[in-house]
Amino acid sequence: MEKRKISVPSVDKARGLIDAFAKNHNLKTEADIKLVWIYPDLIEKDDAIGCPCFACDCKKKLSSNKIENGLVYVKAFATQNGGITKFISLKKGMVAFFEEIAEGEEFSLKDKQNRFPMQHYLFVHGEIVEKP
């Protein structure tokens, strides 16, 4: 069985992707990027995005000059190149939640569709490293 590949292995690589995305979409991002499990909308559903993501808070200026709060995230284990970086708008009444994977913390990935075997990782020095 083929192993899952890390497409964005570090905070530094994620920062470059987030900055480019923010510039193209007129977003102002926070400096602090974290590796997290994202639950995009706890009101409608409580499913996490299928893999850990590097994410940061951001603001988007709308044409009406109002400010919209949101999250920009990069999938660390994207299986497709398109749409690796995305924006989640935090509309009124929507509750987004993320669970941080802290420096030095281990995590495991299990694929619900059984495309990949169970794999174990460590987040250390701002980088995701596969455990043997």
Side-chain angles (χ1 to χ4, degrees), residues 49-121:
I49 290 174
C51 69
C53 301
F54 290 98
C56 68
D57 292 325
C58 70
K59 296 187 183 306
K60 181 177 186 177
K61 190 173 185 180
L62 303 174
S63 58
S64 64
N65 282 331
K66 290 186 178 184
I67 302 295
E68 182 177 53
N69 293 315
L71 297 172
V72 174
Y73 68 92
V74 178
K75 291 181 178 181
F77 295 84
T79 56
Q80 301 172 0
N81 287 335
I84 192 171
T85 308
K86 296 186 178 186
F87 170 74
I88 297 174
S89 173
L90 299 178
K91 295 184 170 45
K92 188 175 181 176
M94 182 178 170
V95 178
F97 174 76
F98 55 84
E99 181 180 350
E100 184 175 359
I101 298 170
E103 177 69 29
E105 190 173 335
E106 295 180 22
F107 63 95
S108 298
L109 291 178
K110 179 172 179 358
D111 185 46
K112 290 180 183 177
Q113 289 117 5
N114 293 318
R115 296 171 296 176
F116 306 102
M118 174 79 85
Q119 290 172 263
H120 308 280
Y121 300 90

Side-chain angles (χ1 to χ4, degrees), residues 27-59:
L27 303 172
K28 182 176 180 178
T29 60
E30 297 292 323
D32 192 24
I33 295 178
K34 297 177 181 181
L35 181 63
V36 296
W37 292 101
I38 298 176
Y39 298 84
D41 189 350
L42 293 178
I43 301 298
E44 295 295 323
K45 57 185 175 184
D46 64 357
D47 292 336
I49 290 174
C51 69
C53 301
F54 290 98
C56 68
D57 292 325
C58 70
K59 296 187 183 306

